[in-house]
Amino acid sequence: MTSVATHELRPLLVDPARVEELKREAIQLPSWDLNFRQIWDSELLLNGAFSPLSGYLSKADYERVCSEMRLEDGSLWPMPIVLDVTEDFAQKLTSGDRVALRHPEGMVLAVLTVTDIWTPDRAAEAKAVFGTDDEAHPGVFQLLREAHPVYVGGTLEGLELPPHHTYQHHRHTPDQLRAEFKRLGWERVVAFQTRNPMHRAHVELTRRAALENDAKILIHPVVGRTSPGDVDYFSRVRCYEAVVAQLPPQLAMLSLLPLAMRMGGPREALWHALIRRNYGCTHFIVGRDHAGPRDGEGKPFYGPYDAQELVAKHADESGIELVPFQEVVYSEDRGEYLPRPEVKQNEKILDLSGTELRRRLREGADIPEWFSYPEVIEALRKRFPPRSRQGYTIFFTGLSGSGKSTVAQILIAKLMEMDDRPVTLLDGDIVRKNLSSELGFSKEHRDLNILRIGFVASEITKNRGTAVCAPIAPYTATRHKVRTLIERHGGFVEVHVSTPLEVCEERDRKGLYAKARAGLIKEFTGIDDPYEAPEKPEVVIDTGKLSAERAAQKIVDYLRHEGFLVGRYEDHDALDES
Ligand code: PPS
């Protein structure tokens, strides 16, 4: 039977005297600045969570890990842990060199002694490790699009762990956690991995796992890199703290794991199990679809129980027992949670999908008591307020003279009258004067200009204000980038001011069309420069047919319909012109 702290740990931090030597040596060494993903990997290498690794994989280890999930010496290890660097940096290195690995704050975390430098076939790696090279898979995307092209393998001497400025009381090294289990007299500990908020079903699942295995519970959520779109870890930690408080005293503890997940399904599950073994756990829960992402159509990349199968297959040598868990559901008839196979025919089951939960949060709708705890719901409501309290951006796009600025001005007046969120106008002219004064009208400069507007608007949206942007923004792909940036934080409402070129030219309020026709201004949108109309804007207005007043009202109506604006509003400005 496995018990706590039997497995050999291999932390890579050196003793204080050696740290001093390395600090002196590092002054002369080439430095590599670690990015966030690399910092998370380095922390778990240095603190022993990735035991038995002694550093970044050599080429031979890497190849065997990809093909067989084993290091050269035969030990089980399913995930390639390598240092990826740029070609420029790699060119300066040869085997035997030493490199100082630095945290962005400047300190040297470790010194690497290089053994191998090679350019991997990353598409082949994706297929071997993730079973696909589809970039909709977040692990594949990271590998093919974000990772540097050259790998460096070698052993590490650690000087210090990366600093953490949040939740220090919930963070432990494997040594610390093992010592804590010992202090508490916990001999059998079942780990629960999660990257999501926890609700009643999860608590029920962990409670059953503990009961059936005569074990205590370690809630061990990932707070490094998870999957895009996941709830930020600050909000999640509030949920976990609330959940631990629900469990009987002395049954469960919370510790945060700074892991950079790869979302690799079965291999990821096995990797997670080995990491939990290193942290001193004896049992590991693998549920349905463990660390399994979905493709562009919402289809899962792995079968629901593939992860359980792979972990079970290696049960003898992994040093940790698998606790396979079926889905737990709520029976309205019994008023309790139970594993799905125990549900009787005709028994009424209540369920709330993730999509439905998000809808209820967005719309401020009721979330039933059977589903979660009031404290958890409160934490999520703070993070995901209803649209009427979120930030949002209204992004006008259209030709010069189409009426963007005029409508934006009227809209802003209406918004300030109706709503107390602060409003910021990022009009084309204002931005070009204050943010983009050095830019011209080439495609490159226009894109830069729009991305700057997008950045500022996303900050405003994040801080729950209203940004009204009114540039020409002629390119679809750039507008799409801005949308993606902003939708992470709140609403994005694209308003196409579709007033036809003839009308804009006839108005020619600034005389620019005349100049462009005369060849005095080059690259003028609509004349000798392109304008790509949006395909699916939220609102379309043509100020050739609609007054500016009515156009602004149309946008207000949209905002009310979508829940961005609530409450009574006297439509006293509605005019009878069409
Ligand atoms: S862009 O394409 O989004 O970066 O343009 P934007 O920042 O909105 O700036 C457009 C305003 O600049 C004036 N202007 C020109 N527009 C288009 N093409 C050329 N070559 C050009 N040169 C100067 C023009 O007044 C635009 O203002 P609006 O308010 O749109 O009429």
Side-chain angles (χ1 to χ4, degrees), residues 120-251:
D121 178 345
R122 285 183 286 156
E125 177 185 330
K127 280 198 180 142
V129 175
F130 299 118
T132 174
D133 58 4
D134 182 345
E135 290 185 8
H137 186 299
V140 174
F141 184 86
Q142 186 280 317
L143 178 62
L144 301 185
R145 293 294 177 136
E146 294 176 359
H148 297 299
V150 185
Y151 287 175
V152 179
T155 50
L156 284 177
E157 287 180 278
L159 284 77
E160 61 180 294
L161 295 175
H164 286 292
H165 306 299
T166 60
Y167 301 116
Q168 266 111 347
H169 57 297
H170 288 317
R171 295 182 188 266
H172 308 88
T173 64
D175 272 325
Q176 288 167 340
L177 208 51
R178 287 179 180 207
E180 184 63 7
F181 293 157
K182 207 165 178 185
R183 190 186 69 79
L184 292 166
W186 290 11
E187 293 199 337
R188 294 161 65 87
V189 182
V190 57
F192 181 65
Q193 137 83 31
T194 180
R195 41 174 259 271
N196 289 310
M198 287 176 73
H199 302 291
R200 286 187 195 272
H202 305 106
V203 172
E204 197 49 44
L205 187 153
T206 48
R207 203 203 309 261
R208 277 171 184 266
L211 197 70
E212 286 165 19
N213 293 285
D214 187 21
K216 305 290 186 177
I217 302 167
L218 174 69
I219 295 177
H220 210 197
V222 173
V223 295
R225 184 184 174 120
T226 63
S227 196
D230 281 349
V231 177
D232 66 279
Y233 79 82
F234 293 96
S235 311
R236 287 192 285 121
V237 170
R238 285 180 203 118
C239 299
Y240 305 138
E241 285 173 340
V243 156
V244 172
Q246 299 299 324
L247 288 159
Q250 290 299 310
L251 179 64

Side-chain angles (χ1 to χ4, degrees), residues 376-406:
V376 171
I377 295 170
E378 194 192 320
L380 292 177
R381 285 208 194 280
K382 277 194 186 140
R383 174 66 187 82
F384 301 103
R387 276 183 166 169
S388 60
R389 287 194 288 114
Q390 278 174 26
Y392 65 98
T393 291
I394 300 176
F395 193 92
F396 287 89
T397 166
L399 297 171
S400 173
S402 58
K404 304 182 297 287
S405 306
T406 316

Side-chain angles (χ1 to χ4, degrees), residues 400-401 404-405 428-429 432 441 446 449-450 471-474 510 512 521-525:
S400 173
K404 304 182 297 287
S405 306
D429 289 340
R432 284 202 170 258
F441 289 89
R446 286 182 197 261
N449 180 40
I450 298 308
I472 295 178
K510 299 179 187 166
L512 293 173
I521 308 178
K522 299 282 178 222
E523 299 176 311
F524 196 82
T525 309

